[in-house]
Amino acid sequence: MPADWRQGLFVGRIDRGEGPVPVVLRDGVLHDMTFVAPTVSALVAGGDFTGGTPIGPLEELDPAQLLSPIDLQCVKAAGVTFAVSALERVIEERARGDHNKANELRGRLEAALGGGIRSVVPGSAEAAALKDALIADGMWSQYLEVAIGPDAEIFTKSPVLSTVGWNAPIGVRSDSTWNNPEPEIVLLADAHGRAVGATLGNDVNLRDFEGRSALLLGKAKDNNASCSLGPFVRLFDAGYTIEDVRQADVAMTIEGTDGYVLDGHSTMREISRDPEDLLRQALSEHHYPDGLVLFCGTLFAPTKDRDEPGRGFTHKVGDRVTIASSRLGTLVNTVTTSRDAPAWQFGIGALMRNLARRGLLAE
């Protein structure tokens, strides 16, 4: 948890043995909010984070009870929102998913457009001029369109209820040979698209799949256990606001069982589109009656060689991924394959049956 967690207001979910329970962490004490609202989605819709049944101090919580902090919200993500990630997507595309070609392409592309893409405002006249120049040089890409064009890339990352939480195994496809974590700030929004809080997330990505074709984005992003969130959502209040999100720093460490260690750092101050603008673009037209979460994108693109020079980074089973931000805490997951991660079985139907069995569904 962040250093000031006793002064913050947090929402999440735990499993107390009968099923998922929405909880609020208030004044350092966990409160069971089941009888205020049976789901986090309904709790956010109601806007009442008072009351509830005290469970006890956070220190007494069994970490094994902690679940992903969201439930019925749609899980959306914004892509190519930082200059570095834009360059890496173009590299994937031009390398056709072949990591062996990435190092050479990286140098050429950074020399050609690194400075320009970092300074341009998406959708501006300067962005249009840069686009024209890149087209003339044969350097244009669909990824540059969403990096500096008027419309952000917004996609569905993961089905409702499929996300995993703190300390859960996180999965990459067993047939992927080039992949990486994506540490991100994630906004929680209500049904009206209003941001009500933020958390940390890992938007695991398969670079080989997406690099072969952008039409494989679904296979690159949406896999069993491929989306983690947590540990809690920090709700906006007088002490924590959207401005804290805009100024947030995010650190990540990958520790492999082979002794490999990779440290990375990113800052939301370098994002090319404001988080609230991304949320407006994600909302579309009255589209999410149970609310949504939105991954805001990542500056982090690991390129440090792991096994041989020029090959760059890819995950191995057993990698421990730690994502941290001072006002949101720390999200930790260990990498496995999506095939070997616990099967996702608790979907919407299972949740409705569980709530009905507990007498928590009302007119």
Side-chain angles (χ1 to χ4, degrees):
M1 296 297 291
D4 64 341
W5 65 271
R6 289 179 178 82
Q7 288 75 52
L9 182 64
F10 299 83
V11 66
R13 293 189 309 149
I14 64 173
D15 186 349
R16 304 188 72 184
E18 296 182 348
V21 172
V23 295
V24 165
L25 178 60
R26 194 172 61 239
D27 299 322
V29 176
L30 272 178
H31 294 77
D32 183 337
M33 305 299 285
T34 302
F35 294 103
V36 176
T39 65
V40 171
S41 173
L43 191 62
V44 170
D48 183 5
F49 303 103
T50 63
T53 304
I55 298 173
L58 179 64
E59 296 91 335
E60 296 180 3
L61 174 68
D62 179 356
Q65 293 181 307
L66 198 59
L67 303 172
S68 167
I70 65 166
D71 41 44
L72 293 177
Q73 293 86 356
C74 287
V75 184
K76 309 295 287 187
V80 202
T81 55
F82 291 84
V84 170
S85 64
L87 292 173
E88 290 300 316
R89 296 295 85 76
V90 177
I91 288 165
E92 289 168 12
E93 178 186 42
R94 291 180 176 258
R96 299 292 188 266
D98 183 353
H99 57 76
N100 292 305
K101 299 178 182 178
N103 202 37
E104 176 191 352
L105 285 165
R106 185 171 295 109
R108 288 168 50 198
L109 286 166
E110 286 179 347
L113 48 90
I117 199 172
R118 283 176 172 82
S119 60
V120 73
V121 176
S124 66
E126 291 80 8
L130 177 59
K131 175 179 179 177
D132 290 341
L134 291 169
I135 290 174
D137 288 342
M139 297 288 290
W140 190 243
S141 163
Q142 59 196 331
Y143 293 106
L144 295 175
E145 175 65 46
V146 294
I148 64 176
D151 297 306
E153 178 190 20
I154 305 291
F155 59 91
T156 298
K157 165 61 183 178
S158 188
V160 170
L161 286 171
S162 69
T163 61
V164 299
W166 182 89
N167 209 37
I170 194 162
V172 297
R173 282 179 62 117
S174 59
D175 54 352
S176 172
T177 60
W178 188 19
N179 47 70
N180 62 257
E182 293 192 353
E184 304 187 25
I185 300 290
V186 184
L187 293 177
L188 171 64
D190 63 17
H192 304 288
R194 292 187 294 254
V196 299
T199 188
L200 295 171
N202 188 345
D203 175 19
V204 178
N205 185 44
L206 309 184
R207 302 189 68 181
D208 45 1
F209 276 70
E210 187 178 359
R212 284 192 281 122
S213 171
L215 298 181
L216 293 175
L217 180 66
K219 285 192 173 183
K221 292 289 188 179
D222 180 9
N223 297 290
N224 182 43
S226 67
C227 181
S228 65
L229 291 166
F232 291 89
V233 173
R234 184 164 192 168
L235 298 172
F236 293 146
D237 57 16
Y240 182 74
T241 69
I242 189 67
E243 190 58 33
D244 290 287
V245 170
R246 294 186 175 108
Q247 300 299 316
D249 292 324
V250 180
M252 188 180 73
T253 299
I254 302 169
E255 301 168 281
T257 58
D258 56 355
Y260 178 90
V261 176
L262 188 150
D263 292 306
H265 172 271
S266 65
T267 175
M268 289 290 286
R269 292 185 292 277
E270 294 187 23
I271 198 168
S272 59
R273 302 179 192 268
D274 185 77
E276 289 195 313
D277 175 55
L278 291 173
L279 193 55
R280 283 190 292 271
Q281 294 208 37
L283 186 63
S284 186
E285 297 176 340
H286 315 297
H287 206 45
Y288 305 108
D290 294 301
L292 72 151
V293 294
L294 177 66
F295 282 73
C296 291
T298 185
L299 174 64
F300 186 74
T303 59
K304 177 184 174 183
D305 291 337
R306 183 164 199 172
D307 291 317
E308 57 189 68
R311 182 163 183 174
F313 171 83
T314 195
H315 268 310
K316 291 185 177 182
V317 169
D319 283 353
R320 180 179 172 87
V321 181
T322 302
I323 300 170
S325 190
S326 63
R327 306 300 303 280
L328 295 174
T330 302
L331 174 63
V332 180
N333 299 99
T334 300
V335 173
T336 185
T337 64
S338 295
R339 176 193 59 204
D340 294 331
W344 173 42
Q345 297 177 321
F346 196 84
I348 297 172
L351 176 62
M352 294 303 107
R353 290 190 294 272
N354 180 272
L355 295 178
R357 188 164 58 248
R358 293 155 60 193
L360 297 174
L361 291 182
E363 292 290 338

